[in-house]
Amino acid sequence: MIMKEKIIGRVWVITDRDGKPIDDIDTDMIYHNKHLAVVDIGEMAQYAFGNLEGWQDFPKKAERGDILIVGKNFGAGSSRQHAVDCFIALGISAIVGESFGAIYYRNAINAGLPIFVAPNIASSSIRSGDKIEIDTTTGKIFNITRNTELPPAKPMSDVQKKIIEAGGLLELAGKGF
Amino acid sequence: MAQTIAQKILAAHSGNDTVEVNQIVSVKPDYVLSHDNTAAIRKKFEQIGVKKIFDPNMPVVVLDHTVPPSTAQYANNHKSIREFVEQHKIAHFYDMGRGICHQVLSEEGFAYPGALILGADSHTTTYGAFGAASAGIGRSEVAAIWATGEMWLMVPPTIKIVVNGKMPRGTTSKDLMLHIIGEIGADGALYKSMEFYGSTIENMSIASRMVLSNMAVEAGAKFGIIPPDEKTDDFLKDIARAEYKKVFADEDAQYESEIRYDAEKLVPVVAAPHTVDNVFPASDVDEEKVHQVFLGTCTNGRVEDFHKAAEILAGRKVADGTRLLVFPASSKVLKEIILDGTAEKLIDAGAILMNPGCGPCLGAHEGVLADGEVCVSTANRNFLGRMGNKNAAIYLASPYTAAAAAVAGKIIDPRELL
């Protein structure tokens, strides 16, 4: 897989009822522990955000290519990879957040899911339904719908690009790094 | 270049003299841990297409999460793991009953100063208590390490935590760590290493130190490292898996920040539902019926924890309408509390003595909560639904506070019963 220069997609800003970005969304909210025995990635899609107040119907609303915009410390908690894989199964093309749980961040990189740290992104002018463009080299994010520049993301590291280009860590490991 | 403990251990495992903060390095870990999730990791490993495990001495596999299995699916996973271990001649395998992975690796001498241990479990940070650098990683990463013996890591910046003073009666390292997490927040140490210093830490037992390192990840930390000392050597005498050299930070090492605490000001605290940083003095919690008390886990399932619980429970009874579940962290702990009479005191008080393992911590079995119930737990997470029911509430506390809640049937300051 060649790393796309630009990722373009419709966004979901993960907010509460008052429109405030939800911080500290843990892996139990993203993918509840009662479905941990599932090993088939395709089956995981239906459980994404199954334990996050107001977002339980997300798997029905999400479309392939959509982008998630999240607040601080997204994916805190357990090391479960289901919490990344469920979004891959839904076809989510990137996750952009203000910060991530350390293991979650690694899991996303290693699964080949583009993940970006962009301080202040969730509290910016961005709204669910907007179409944005992420420049994977520079980290610049542009809101196509509103024709405005958004708070930029940190550019991807070389390791991250290498893994995405290989199609994931396992594929890279098969080639002996 | 002056370096922190994290920098030194990562440099030594990546073939560098020194490494810089935020540098990405390829490391060769000493051990890589997995538990019941080995069944899923096996699938990922087989997907890579490599025939052999790079080094069969590197993986350590412990069955602890759903033991004994409560469903056919869990049982089949265990079976698949045993077959895989046999097929690949994995050298270090502990079947169900030996205990919780982090306790087992500690008791079996895998965690020693300067070691680098990665594991498919977020509480792999526990080995920092022995002066090791250890962190949780994902399942794919474990599969990749099985295949290649290597993994990439980003060198974390380090926060220096200094705690001085004598811990007041009725408080434990659990109260200290909950207090710290309450102050810095669940993301207060995100992707950073914590190093713990000060007289309070020096005076702590290894078991108490393990609580700090175990819960470092609840502040988002990559590592939670405590400089090794004679207590570390004593613990590791005759059991260390390798000859080790203690690793210390350079005096002029660069810390991102330094936070100081006065242990003498500590009071018994709880982390109220549903986040670990939602911390209050136990005495401030409004009267609420406690239905279940859970003593155990990789955080507080060691001998000293049951001794503390017994200080409160001996000669008393668990309140009507409250259940007390006791899960020793390992078979060694279980045996010790039986031999020294602690188990008897707990059972006489009305405790249900369970098998070594993770128990209901992850909500799969052995003590799932009912709708509307409240649990006081000595574990490390109180996320909504963590114990198998999102209509239930979990308070995290020390063994003293948990035992006191079992007697009172509600959350109280444990000093009332000490």
Side-chain angles (χ1 to χ4, degrees), chain A residues 24 26-29 32-34 36-39 41 50-52 56 72-73 76-82 85 99-103 105-107 109-111 157-160 163 169-177, chain B residues 24 37 40 43-45 47-48 50 73-74 77 120-122 136-141 143-144 147-148 150-154 186-187 190-191 217-218 220 222 274-275 277 362-363 381 383-390:
Chain A
D24 302 316
D26 62 61
T27 50
D28 265 318
M29 299 177 187
H32 195 257
N33 54 39
K34 70 180 165 212
L36 281 185
V38 175
V39 287
I41 288 188
N51 192 28
L52 181 64
Q56 288 91 340
K72 292 187 182 66
N73 201 19
S78 91
S79 63
R80 74 188 58 146
Q81 214 156 303
H82 309 68
D85 289 345
S99 67
F100 293 94
I103 306 175
Y105 185 68
R106 295 184 64 86
N107 278 342
I109 290 175
N110 289 329
S157 68
D158 291 343
V159 173
Q160 199 175 349
I163 291 171
L169 180 74
L170 297 182
E171 283 64 23
L172 192 62
K175 293 175 195 154
F177 276 100
Chain B
I24 290 177
N37 56 18
K43 286 203 168 69
K44 292 190 183 287
F45 176 77
Q47 192 187 326
I48 296 175
V50 178
Q73 189 167 14
Y74 291 137
N77 282 349
D121 186 276
S122 53
I137 54 173
R139 296 174 180 192
S140 298
E141 300 187 282
T148 66
E150 287 181 42
M151 183 43 57
W152 65 273
L153 284 181
M154 193 173 81
D187 61 351
L190 208 55
Y191 226 107
V217 71
E218 304 308 330
K222 191 85 191 152
H274 298 287
T275 55
D277 57 5
L362 60 147
R381 290 208 172 117
F383 300 161
L384 182 67
R386 172 79 182 180
M387 288 179 71
N389 187 338
K390 54 186 167 186

Side-chain angles (χ1 to χ4, degrees), chain B residues 280-359:
Chain B
F280 299 97
S283 56
D284 282 6
V285 178
D286 284 341
E287 190 166 327
E288 192 171 21
K289 174 75 192 164
V290 170
H291 303 85
Q292 182 164 304
V293 172
F294 171 27
L295 292 178
T297 78
C298 55
T299 311
N300 281 124
R302 284 172 274 279
V303 172
E304 69 169 32
D305 299 314
F306 298 117
H307 284 174
K308 285 177 181 137
E311 274 183 57
I312 286 184
L313 284 157
R316 295 195 173 99
K317 290 282 178 202
V318 172
D320 283 344
T322 304
R323 313 175 290 271
L324 172 60
L325 303 181
V326 173
F327 287 79
S330 73
S331 55
K332 190 164 178 271
V333 172
L334 172 59
K335 199 169 147 185
E336 221 171 307
I337 63 168
I338 288 174
L339 291 176
D340 74 7
T342 306
E344 191 179 346
K345 288 176 196 162
L346 301 179
I347 292 166
D348 283 346
I352 307 164
L353 184 58
M354 304 289 287
N355 59 294
C358 301

Side-chain angles (χ1 to χ4, degrees), chain A residues 16-78:
Chain A
D16 60 19
R17 284 209 185 93
D18 304 325
K20 212 172 136 279
I22 311 172
D23 291 336
D24 302 316
I25 293 179
D26 62 61
T27 50
D28 265 318
M29 299 177 187
I30 299 171
Y31 191 97
H32 195 257
N33 54 39
K34 70 180 165 212
H35 307 302
L36 281 185
V38 175
V39 287
D40 179 63
I41 288 188
E43 247 180 82
M44 294 175 194
Q46 60 188 307
Y47 304 121
F49 285 145
N51 192 28
L52 181 64
E53 185 70 32
W55 289 90
Q56 288 91 340
D57 58 347
F58 181 73
K60 292 200 184 76
K61 299 191 296 196
E63 285 172 21
R64 301 200 80 76
D66 285 355
I67 295 169
L68 286 186
I69 306 290
V70 297
K72 292 187 182 66
N73 201 19
F74 185 80
S78 91

Side-chain angles (χ1 to χ4, degrees), chain B residues 53-208:
Chain B
I53 287 191
F54 179 82
D55 177 2
N57 281 307
M58 201 184 262
V60 185
V61 178
V62 185
L63 299 188
D64 62 1
H65 268 52
T66 50
V67 298
S70 53
T71 66
Q73 189 167 14
Y74 291 137
N76 285 332
N77 282 349
H78 291 162
K79 185 180 168 194
S80 157
I81 294 165
R82 291 187 193 103
E83 286 166 1
F84 185 76
V85 163
E86 177 64 29
Q87 182 193 341
H88 288 276
K89 305 278 179 275
I90 289 176
H92 312 295
F93 173 59
Y94 300 91
D95 209 323
M96 65 176 71
R98 181 62 186 86
I100 305 171
C101 57
H102 305 306
Q103 184 64 17
V104 175
L105 265 74
S106 304
E107 289 176 2
E108 296 282 346
F110 290 99
Y112 48 82
L116 175 65
I117 302 175
L118 300 175
D121 186 276
S122 53
H123 295 106
T124 303
T125 50
T126 308
Y127 315 117
F130 300 89
S134 58
I137 54 173
R139 296 174 180 192
S140 298
E141 300 187 282
V142 171
I145 296 172
W146 286 354
T148 66
E150 287 181 42
M151 183 43 57
W152 65 273
L153 284 181
M154 193 173 81
V155 180
T158 298
I159 301 178
K160 187 175 191 174
I161 310 251
V162 185
V163 193
N164 283 308
K166 191 170 179 289
M167 305 259 294
R169 183 168 157 75
T171 62
T172 73
S173 62
K174 180 65 159 287
D175 297 294
L176 172 62
M177 199 55 190
L178 288 176
H179 178 78
I180 292 173
I181 296 167
E183 292 230 323
I184 69 174
D187 61 351
L190 208 55
Y191 226 107
K192 290 165 193 164
S193 177
M194 293 168 115
E195 274 180 24
F196 294 90
Y197 292 91
S199 64
T200 314
I201 314 292
E202 287 158 20
N203 290 329
M204 267 181 197
S205 67
I206 292 285
S208 292

Side-chain angles (χ1 to χ4, degrees), chain A residues 93-151:
Chain A
S93 64
I95 304 182
V96 188
E98 300 192 348
S99 67
F100 293 94
I103 306 175
Y104 192 86
Y105 185 68
R106 295 184 64 86
N107 278 342
I109 290 175
N110 289 329
L113 175 63
I115 185 163
F116 298 90
V117 177
N120 306 319
I121 185 80
S123 44
S124 71
S125 60
I126 196 167
R127 293 291 174 267
S128 285
D130 288 359
K131 200 170 166 189
I132 65 164
E133 178 184 282
I134 307 165
D135 185 316
T136 58
T137 308
T138 64
K140 278 193 174 168
I141 305 176
F142 188 74
N143 191 329
I144 298 170
T145 307
R146 293 170 200 272
N147 197 26
T148 51
E149 200 78 38
L150 290 165

